């Protein structure tokens, strides 16, 4: 018997390893109560801000999100980088990000600090080209953020099962116009 976090990964496990889908249980990830904030009107949002949380990895399209930030100078972008892919050169990303006043990079945040960053943001963005679940969609929605995300099966699944009601599916080509 197998346990996985989404219907998408269930399908992948079944296909890759020849496991009968009846032998795979989906148990969705959850959040600690600390993420849920009921009185969103009390959140102090001084300037428009979009948050990205995740790895600095080509499948996450982080460089595309940075390009969006550089074009939308009237919106602040916070990049919470959890892991840097060691096989990729990241010097260009950090140098480019440091050249603009509307981009801030955060690393090694505690869970409480991460929640505060979400709560200070109007929206989150996830333009992944591959994802197993999409935990950041749950986190940001629980903190009152609008969710901009790519139309991946796991993202669609998370939006549906979590009943996220403030979201926009976007593709990379139209992302700047929609945001």
């Amino acid at each position: 018997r197998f346990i996985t976090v989404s219907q998408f990964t269930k399908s992948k496990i079944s296909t890759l390893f020849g496991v009968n889908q009846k032998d795979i249980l989906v148990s969705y990830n959850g959040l600690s109560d600390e993420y849920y904030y009921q009185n969103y009107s009390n959140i102090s949002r001084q300037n428009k801000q979009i948050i990205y949380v995740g790895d600095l990895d080509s499948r996450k399209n982080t460089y595309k999100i940075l390009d969006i930030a550089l074009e939308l100078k009237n919106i602040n972008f916070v990049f919470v980088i959890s892991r840097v892919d060691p096989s990729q050169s990241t010097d260009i990303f950090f140098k480019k990000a440091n050249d603009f006043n509307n981009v801030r990079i955060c690393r090694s945040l505690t869970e409480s600090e991460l929640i505060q960053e979400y709560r200070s943001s109007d929206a989150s963005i996830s333009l992944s080209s591959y994802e197993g679940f999409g935990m950041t969609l749950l986190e940001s929605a629980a903190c009152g953020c609008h969710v901009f995300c790519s139309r991946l099966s796991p993202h669609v699944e998370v939006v549906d099962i979590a009943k996220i009601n403030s979201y926009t599916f976007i593709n990379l080509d139209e992302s700047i116009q929609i945001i």
Side-chain angles (χ1 to χ4, degrees):
R1 193 139 174 108
F2 293 85
I3 300 174
T4 188
V5 297
S6 69
Q7 293 295 329
F8 174 77
T9 54
K10 176 180 180 174
S11 175
K12 287 291 186 186
I13 290 169
S14 179
T15 301
L16 291 173
F17 300 107
V19 177
N20 188 322
Q21 289 213 6
K22 292 178 183 176
D23 294 328
I24 306 171
L25 172 70
V26 174
S27 178
Y28 293 107
N29 290 328
L31 297 173
S32 72
D33 290 341
E34 191 177 355
Y35 281 88
Y36 296 97
Y37 191 75
Q38 300 305 317
N39 193 354
Y40 298 115
S41 62
N42 288 343
I43 296 174
S44 175
R45 292 180 174 149
Q46 305 298 323
N47 300 310
K48 291 182 180 178
Q49 180 170 293
I50 296 177
I51 187 171
Y52 164 81
V53 177
D55 300 343
L56 186 52
D57 184 316
S58 59
R59 73 181 171 86
K60 299 284 193 169
N61 291 307
T62 320
Y63 285 87
K64 176 62 178 176
I65 297 170
L66 181 60
D67 288 341
I68 292 168
L70 302 181
E71 282 201 42
L72 301 176
K73 293 179 176 62
N74 61 327
I75 299 174
N76 293 322
F77 280 75
V78 176
F79 288 80
V80 180
I81 306 297
S82 53
R83 188 184 70 85
V84 176
D85 184 339
S87 68
Q88 298 179 9
S89 174
T90 58
D91 294 344
I92 294 169
F93 179 88
F94 289 113
K95 181 175 179 353
K96 196 173 182 182
N98 287 330
D99 287 343
F100 290 86
N101 294 332
N102 68 321
V103 175
R104 183 166 48 93
I105 305 288
C106 300
R107 309 255 341 241
S108 305
L109 296 182
T110 65
E111 189 170 30
S112 294
E113 290 169 332
L114 174 61
I115 290 168
Q116 189 54 47
E117 288 293 343
Y118 276 130
R119 289 183 182 165
S120 298
S121 300
D122 298 287
S124 69
I125 188 165
S126 177
L127 297 180
S128 298
S129 56
Y130 185 88
E131 199 70 60
F133 181 67
M135 191 68 179
T136 59
L137 277 62
L138 283 180
E139 293 171 346
S140 59
C143 290
C145 292
H146 180 84
V147 175
F148 290 107
C149 59
S150 51
R151 189 180 288 277
L152 291 177
S153 308
H155 285 170
V156 173
E157 186 177 349
V158 168
V159 164
D160 181 53
I161 60 111
K163 307 290 187 238
I164 296 173
N165 57 17
S166 182
Y167 67 91
T168 306
F169 289 122
I170 57 178
N171 67 45
L172 292 177
D173 297 332
E174 65 184 6
S175 52
I176 290 175
Q177 293 83 8
I178 289 177
I179 294 171

